[in-house]
Amino acid sequence: MSAATAVLFDLDDTLYAEKDYQLSGWRAVARHAEQFGVPYGEAMSLMLGADNAFDALHARVPAMEVRLMLDIYRTHMPELHVSGHVKCVLAALRERGCGVGIITDGRSISQRNKISSLELEAYVDYISVSEEIGADKLKVLPFELAAAHFSGCREFWYVGDNPAKDFLWPNRLGWHTVMLKERHPGANVHPQTGALKTPEHAPQYRVAELPELLRLIR
């Protein structure tokens, strides 16, 4: 890439709300439960009201094994929507000549299905999924590979939500790091409160909304 600046994003709870994916997955499982004689609404109520959704449904339908539910959940094509301002930010960065990419942890099929459902492929130049490269964000490799892809860039940014793993290696590599703040306690799948392990894990900037990035990245 010849861009001077590369901006890499986390996916879950950064470019969309991960709890929307959870709900989509439960809906897929509930639709399958109808084959076992359990009405969709009953299956959803069981999962929504339980600490462990699939254990609760398995207790109601022993023939429906938890591993089957996990497979349906992980491989389903989710019903997700990205907010307009997210796409505007991605488009604005590319219009400025920035390289734009995603570095995400998770299973390949799950993360790729999310990206496809959100229609993000047209807005990014690079996608890294931990299962595909054999390393998650607790290791340096995902960030080294991104830097190699955007080898012509002089400045790198990483935008995420989880201080437990998103910012340690970008900080060590001299990148700029930005945390998208949780909308309210409990909004994210991985809460931000209490997640900071060491000062090295801390983001350099915090923003309440992604459009604030456009004032930070010049």
Side-chain angles (χ1 to χ4, degrees):
M1 291 289 297
S2 59
T5 300
V7 186
L8 287 301
F9 292 85
D10 171 49
L11 177 62
D12 300 308
D13 276 329
T14 299
L15 296 180
Y16 83 105
E18 189 174 1
K19 287 189 176 180
D20 289 348
Y21 177 77
Q22 286 187 333
L23 187 58
S24 176
W26 291 344
R27 286 170 175 156
V29 171
R31 287 192 291 270
H32 192 80
E34 291 180 313
Q35 298 179 27
F36 293 83
V38 181
Y40 173 88
E42 181 182 346
M44 284 298 295
S45 294
L46 280 168
M47 289 188 285
L48 288 168
D51 291 332
N52 188 307
F54 298 153
D55 283 350
L57 187 54
H58 176 64
R60 169 67 174 81
V61 194
M64 194 171 180
E65 297 183 357
V66 170
R67 64 182 179 180
L68 170 63
M69 293 184 242
L70 285 171
D71 186 60
I72 293 168
Y73 181 90
R74 292 167 177 167
T75 61
H76 86 289
M77 177 55 72
E79 302 165 359
L80 301 174
H81 302 282
V82 69
S83 68
H85 74 259
V86 169
K87 288 186 175 179
C88 286
V89 168
L90 299 178
L93 289 171
R94 295 190 76 184
E95 287 172 6
R96 292 182 181 185
C98 296
V100 179
I102 294 170
I103 299 176
T104 180
D105 285 352
R107 291 171 175 79
S108 179
I109 189 167
S110 301
Q111 301 308 92
R112 293 284 178 176
N113 281 350
K114 293 172 187 177
I115 291 167
S116 179
S117 177
L118 293 165
E119 301 180 335
L120 291 174
E121 295 98 333
Y123 293 85
V124 299
D125 312 299
Y126 176 80
I127 298 170
S128 170
V129 182
S130 62
E131 185 180 64
E132 296 173 7
I133 65 171
D136 62 21
K137 288 183 284 185
L138 292 173
K139 299 179 176 66
V140 69
L141 183 62
F143 304 99
E144 288 180 331
L145 293 176
H149 179 83
F150 295 105
S151 58
C153 294
R154 299 188 301 272
E155 188 173 270
F156 289 85
W157 292 74
Y158 190 69
V159 184
D161 72 287
N162 187 352
K165 65 176 181 176
D166 281 348
F167 311 117
L168 176 64
W169 280 109
N171 283 337
R172 287 178 173 176
L173 292 171
W175 293 22
H176 303 285
T177 52
V178 184
M179 184 174 77
L180 180 64
K181 292 188 286 188
E182 197 169 13
R183 296 188 305 279
H184 56 80
N188 290 4
V189 168
H190 301 288
Q192 293 173 349
T193 303
L196 190 63
K197 297 178 179 179
T198 71
E200 261 195 311
H201 287 78
Q204 297 159 26
Y205 305 94
R206 291 172 170 81
V207 297
E209 300 287 347
L210 279 186
E212 294 176 47
L213 282 176
L214 300 178
R215 295 197 296 271
L216 293 174
I217 302 171
R218 300 293 183 180

